[in-house]
Amino acid sequence: MEQLQLLVLEDKKIGKELKQVYFNSVEDTTSIYDTETGETYADNWYYITPENAEGITLKNSYIVNYKTGDVVNYEEGKHRIVDNNLLCIKEGLVYTVDAKNRATGDNWGDAILHNFNEDDENSGWTENSLSFDGIDDGIEVPDNSDYSNGVTLEIYLKLRGQTENQVAQILIMKRTDSLNGFFIVMGNKNIEEHNSQLYRLISIDIGGVYERFDTNIFIEENEPIYISYTFNPNTETDKGVLYINGEKVATTDLGNVEKIMEVADTSIQIGSDIHKTHLGESQDNRYPFNGEIYATRVYNRPLTEQEIKYNYNNTVNN
């Protein structure tokens, strides 16, 4: 211990440098979370184990602040290592969040959480998901990415049920009106006069409602489902590809990335039309999602089938 304190005084940094972890960042970072006090050890702190204590003998692991000289004894059970070694492919990644190693519900980086209520069991962070109450919960992510080379949208979720008096539930959206941007939505009603059951049907717009792809895939209640959709404007056919739980299930040529670029500076919205930009059946309707989201990602390029499988397997297995 005296040797360690001497190294601190001499500013000889050893061990792993700790940094604040943000889960919509593509940077690999690690911090340590104190489960008893809620304190996070990040900037200016280092984590030193007996294995990386060069030249000195340590029986325990320590958290060391080389700026202040503070030394904290690392305790299994009390302290938890939180890292951002992402569960997904990084190239082209615009936004990601998942449950891996999350310590608290407040480290979302630039993303903004709207209307979540931790006192409501159906609203807020759970052990491995973010729960949406089907009323007004939603995530907003500032975004000005270039989608001219395509887009990939991924979401891993579990539907709780139909929201009363809602015609749809929004999963992922970036648009200013129904004729631009991108959009993944789940139908929420049976429309008997058209003899079609739209309840739980996944529909995807890449470039507005006139480019809508009704997938003929339905979301089951209380069953986890991993939805991946890629759109590549540079192919002649099968521009849009839908994957369910890592498996390719459908293709389409519908889509127009130029319509996404019309709203380049518009925020991505997840689980709700927070700013009421959809302007569908009712201008006051947010079309909120009712259920849990384990992970969601947006890329500004089409992922390959192998990359989709990698993301699916890595996320689900963790």
Side-chain angles (χ1 to χ4, degrees):
M1 184 66 173
E2 291 180 357
Q3 290 177 298
L4 180 58
Q5 290 173 331
L6 181 61
L7 287 175
V8 172
L9 291 174
E10 295 178 350
D11 198 29
K12 293 182 178 179
K13 299 180 176 66
I14 62 173
K16 182 175 181 60
E17 184 178 6
L18 301 178
K19 293 183 179 180
Q20 180 63 51
V21 176
Y22 294 114
F23 282 79
N24 64 334
S25 168
V26 297
E27 182 185 5
D28 286 338
T29 54
T30 300
S31 64
I32 293 178
Y33 176 65
D34 189 319
T35 60
E36 294 181 3
T37 66
E39 181 177 0
T40 295
Y41 297 96
D43 300 332
N44 299 315
W45 291 87
Y46 283 68
Y47 175 51
I48 301 174
T49 66
E51 290 75 22
N52 57 30
E54 303 169 2
I56 63 175
T57 301
L58 292 180
K59 295 182 179 179
N60 300 312
S61 298
Y62 296 91
I63 313 167
V64 177
N65 190 318
Y66 284 94
K67 185 175 183 179
T68 64
D70 292 334
V71 177
V72 176
N73 186 30
Y74 179 88
E75 300 179 37
E76 292 286 347
K78 178 183 179 184
H79 294 110
R80 176 144 57 103
I81 296 175
V82 181
D83 65 53
N84 194 28
N85 294 322
L86 300 181
L87 297 178
C88 60
I89 301 294
K90 295 181 184 179
E91 183 184 353
L93 187 62
V94 172
Y95 171 78
T96 180
V97 68
D98 56 56
K100 179 179 180 287
N101 289 330
R102 283 189 61 88
T104 65
D106 60 0
N107 51 355
W108 288 73
D110 293 335
I112 304 166
L113 275 66
H114 289 266
N115 305 316
F116 288 94
N117 180 5
E118 297 292 347
D119 295 328
D120 180 354
E121 63 179 6
N122 291 327
S123 175
W125 186 247
T126 71
E127 181 179 359
N128 61 359
S129 71
L130 192 64
S131 184
F132 293 70
D133 62 8
I135 300 173
D136 57 5
D137 293 348
I139 303 174
E140 176 184 5
V141 185
D143 178 40
N144 59 357
S145 302
D146 181 356
Y147 294 93
S148 58
N149 289 319
V151 62
T152 297
L153 307 174
E154 294 193 323
I155 188 165
Y156 183 30
L157 61 87
K158 182 167 67 175
L159 174 67
R160 185 175 297 119
Q162 184 169 357
T163 305
E164 187 177 358
N165 299 323
Q166 297 283 9
V167 299
Q169 296 187 40
I170 288 173
L171 304 182
I172 303 175
M173 182 179 79
K174 177 185 173 74
R175 71 196 315 178
T176 58
D177 61 46
S178 62
L179 299 179
N180 58 36
F182 56 69
F183 191 50
I184 299 185
V185 64
M186 183 194 71
N188 216 33
K189 273 191 175 180
N190 297 335
I191 303 180
E192 296 179 0
E193 60 267 31
H194 293 110
N195 194 30
S196 63
Q197 295 186 347
L198 297 183
Y199 176 46
R200 298 182 283 104
L201 172 71
I202 302 170
S203 296
I204 302 169
D205 300 356
I206 301 295
V209 68
Y210 292 126
E211 302 289 344
R212 175 160 294 181
F213 175 37
D214 290 325
T215 67
N216 292 322
I217 300 295
F218 293 80
I219 297 178
E220 300 295 332
E221 293 184 13
N222 300 310
E223 292 290 336
I225 182 172
Y226 196 109
I227 304 165
S228 306
Y229 186 77
T230 70
F231 183 79
N232 187 347
N234 301 312
T235 60
E236 293 185 3
T237 60
D238 296 341
K239 295 178 182 296
V241 184
L242 175 68
Y243 301 83
I244 299 296
N245 296 330
E247 298 297 325
K248 183 177 178 180
V249 297
T251 64
T252 182
D253 290 333
L254 292 169
N256 183 344
V257 290
E258 293 179 1
K259 289 290 185 178
I260 301 178
M261 295 310 298
E262 289 180 1
V263 292
D265 293 330
T266 301
S267 293
I268 299 167
Q269 299 182 71
I270 299 167
S272 175
D273 185 357
I274 300 161
H275 301 297
K276 304 175 185 176
T277 54
H278 177 58
L279 305 181
E281 189 170 284
S282 168
Q283 191 164 341
D284 293 327
N285 203 328
R286 288 190 170 93
Y287 305 96
F289 173 64
N290 183 19
E292 297 178 58
I293 294 180
Y294 304 102
T296 182
R297 302 185 179 106
V298 176
Y299 291 83
N300 62 359
R301 69 175 182 90
L303 268 63
T304 65
E305 184 170 356
Q306 291 73 22
E307 289 174 324
I308 293 291
K309 288 180 180 295
Y310 175 89
N311 280 5
Y312 167 71
N313 290 324
N314 214 25
T315 301
V316 172
N317 291 335
N318 279 278

